Amino acid sequence: HRQSEDSTIITLAHDIKNQIITKNLLDKQKDRNFILCSNDLILENLKFIIMNALEKGFSLDKIQVLAPMYKGEVGIDNINSYLQSCLNPQDDEKKEIRHFNKIFRIGDKVIQLVNRPEKNIMNGDIGYIKHIISNDENEENVELIIDVDNNEVKFQESELNEISLAYCI
């Protein structure tokens, strides 16, 4: 959607890259909305906006938060962690796996980070974790099944560095 011919996001990205601030930067557009707030209110505002959109009938696959950097309080990693806790919180009934500093739960929105044509999945594809399967009683040798456009893709634990949460990209 962000790269369609009538998208204002591509034009905005080029303007930002070229350090151009247009008069309509703060005007609400059909595909983006600029909300002026301090860093300490960004997460709270994102939660409000997303919950409001969900209440209006939008599905999570029609909502995408974009951020320009990974690190920091308002970086992709922290926003993803925060939104995961709001949109897909920990639940004793819901399986999850910790892989390094990331937690993946059934129902999480995830993005593929590496081209894997043999699995029919490419860098940038977004899907949802459908199953977490433990192949032994020690919860080792875990597999994730991710649904990407009705293509169920199996990931071994050793491949989990190829995916990331995708509430924010």
Side-chain angles (χ1 to χ4, degrees):
H1 296 289
R2 72 180 186 268
Q3 294 188 16
S4 67
E5 278 188 37
D6 59 343
S7 172
T8 67
I9 295 172
I10 294 298
T11 304
L12 176 62
H14 288 292
D15 288 347
I16 291 170
K17 182 179 177 190
N18 295 317
Q19 298 181 345
I20 297 170
I21 299 175
T22 60
K23 291 181 182 179
N24 72 343
L25 175 67
L26 302 179
D27 296 347
K28 184 173 183 170
Q29 305 290 328
K30 66 179 177 54
D31 59 349
R32 67 176 167 90
N33 191 11
F34 187 91
I35 299 169
L36 188 60
C37 69
S38 62
N39 280 359
D40 60 331
L41 295 177
I42 288 176
L43 295 176
E44 204 172 297
N45 279 321
L46 280 173
K47 178 182 176 183
F48 175 80
I49 292 164
I50 291 170
M51 294 305 197
N52 191 34
L54 291 170
E55 287 174 14
K56 288 182 177 182
F58 286 90
S59 61
L60 194 53
D61 62 323
K62 299 294 183 192
I63 300 168
Q64 188 60 65
V65 177
L66 302 176
M69 60 195 166
Y70 279 91
K71 302 299 177 199
E73 180 184 349
V74 292
I76 292 169
D77 293 334
N78 195 52
I79 293 172
N80 269 324
S81 180
Y82 177 79
L83 291 178
Q84 179 190 46
S85 71
C86 298
L87 300 169
N88 192 22
Q90 183 180 17
D91 182 337
D92 291 338
E93 302 295 314
K94 193 181 299 180
K95 272 192 147 181
E96 65 178 42
I97 180 173
R98 181 178 296 273
H99 184 71
F100 295 111
N101 62 342
K102 294 179 185 176
I103 296 173
F104 296 108
R105 292 188 187 108
I106 291 177
D108 273 335
K109 184 177 185 178
V110 294
I111 187 168
Q112 175 68 18
L113 303 173
V114 178
N115 289 334
R116 290 286 179 217
E118 70 277 9
K119 292 185 175 193
N120 196 27
I121 188 169
M122 303 302 273
N123 181 21
D125 285 348
I126 293 177
Y128 294 86
I129 298 174
K130 293 296 181 188
H131 304 285
I132 298 176
I133 304 164
S134 301
N135 292 327
D136 61 32
E137 53 281 341
N138 295 328
E139 301 254 338
E140 293 180 8
N141 300 316
V142 175
E143 295 177 345
L144 266 65
I145 307 295
I146 299 175
D147 184 341
V148 180
D149 295 327
N150 295 319
N151 174 30
E152 289 195 354
V153 183
K154 186 183 294 187
F155 285 83
Q156 303 299 320
E157 191 168 3
S158 62
E159 298 172 306
L160 295 184
N161 60 334
E162 297 182 3
I163 63 170
S164 185
L165 293 175
Y167 301 103
C168 178
I169 58 175

